[in-house]
Amino acid sequence: EVAAIRQDNGTAMQLHAQFSAIRASSAFAALDGWRVRSGARWSRSRAGLLWRADYELEYNDRHNLRVDEQFFSQSPLRNQLRLELLHGSANQLALEWQLRYRHSRYIGTNRLVTPDSQVGAERRQDQLLSVGVQARHALGRRLGLLAEYRYDANRSRLEVFDYNRHLLSLGLEWQP
């Protein structure tokens, strides 16, 4: 992984690139392959607010999942834009608002067998929109409460990958 950062008067610009070789256990061998990520992050801190904008480009070349006549591409090309606003204090209550959009286009064409035994082929493309808020409250030096709500809506060319979901998580954090 390579990263460069420049900071000036509360503003920071970071560029990064990462190459990964992926070796999964035999049960997940379809995910074996490699991945390249690159991106840029801009952040600005002023008057107790932290603004962040993050863009990432990701390319995956993985083995793919074959089940009889069916074939599922596990190799997406992804573009992602994330916007965040953080405010509050780690000692009191800190809030983080997030908006994320990700477009994924899969390299291989998926082959699916329909209920009437017809074989169809389609290249998968997904568009994910995610909106969320996270709250943290310190209970002491090492202990804190965490609550997060997120809504995800994924639209896909292949209906099997369409979903809407609400996520609510509550937690107790301990930092050694």
Side-chain angles (χ1 to χ4, degrees):
E1 182 171 4
V2 177
I5 189 166
R6 180 181 175 163
Q7 295 181 338
D8 184 34
N9 294 332
T11 301
M13 180 66 173
Q14 179 183 5
L15 301 173
H16 65 90
Q18 177 188 57
F19 177 82
S20 304
I22 302 164
R23 297 288 174 247
S25 67
S26 61
F28 298 97
L31 299 178
D32 281 358
W34 55 274
R35 173 177 58 210
V36 176
R37 288 181 176 167
S38 63
R41 174 182 279 177
W42 171 88
S43 62
R44 175 134 177 111
S45 179
R46 176 171 279 182
L49 295 175
L50 175 63
W51 298 86
R52 276 197 294 233
D54 188 25
Y55 171 76
E56 187 169 87
L57 175 64
E58 177 182 343
Y59 176 78
N60 291 270
D61 187 10
R62 300 176 181 162
H63 295 167
N64 291 294
L65 183 60
R66 297 177 197 287
V67 181
D68 299 326
E69 294 181 30
Q70 299 187 67
F71 169 86
F72 297 93
S73 176
Q74 303 292 320
S75 300
L77 172 65
R78 290 190 166 128
N79 290 281
Q80 177 173 271
L81 178 62
R82 185 172 55 206
L83 304 172
E84 298 174 319
L85 171 63
L86 291 82
H87 60 90
S89 164
N91 296 329
Q92 301 291 317
L93 179 65
L95 293 174
E96 179 179 334
W97 304 86
Q98 287 189 10
L99 175 64
R100 179 172 64 127
Y101 173 77
R102 183 178 74 198
H103 180 270
S104 302
R105 184 177 63 80
Y106 288 73
I107 297 164
T109 301
N110 288 1
R111 256 191 340 260
L112 302 169
V113 178
T114 63
D116 59 354
S117 299
Q118 297 294 317
V119 176
E122 177 110 27
R123 185 178 305 266
R124 179 179 168 192
Q125 286 191 33
D126 292 356
Q127 296 183 48
L128 172 68
L129 181 63
S130 182
V131 179
V133 61
Q134 187 178 89
R136 281 187 149 86
H137 178 66
L139 298 174
R141 272 186 66 200
R142 298 180 185 263
L143 198 61
L145 291 174
L146 169 70
E148 179 183 7
Y149 170 76
R150 190 175 76 226
Y151 173 73
D152 297 327
N154 193 63
R155 297 295 166 256
S156 179
R157 272 192 178 171
L158 301 177
E159 187 177 324
V160 69
F161 299 107
D162 272 351
Y163 63 85
N164 293 317
R165 84 174 151 213
H166 298 270
L167 171 76
L168 177 63
S169 59
L170 303 170
L172 189 60
E173 290 184 313
W174 178 72
Q175 296 179 4

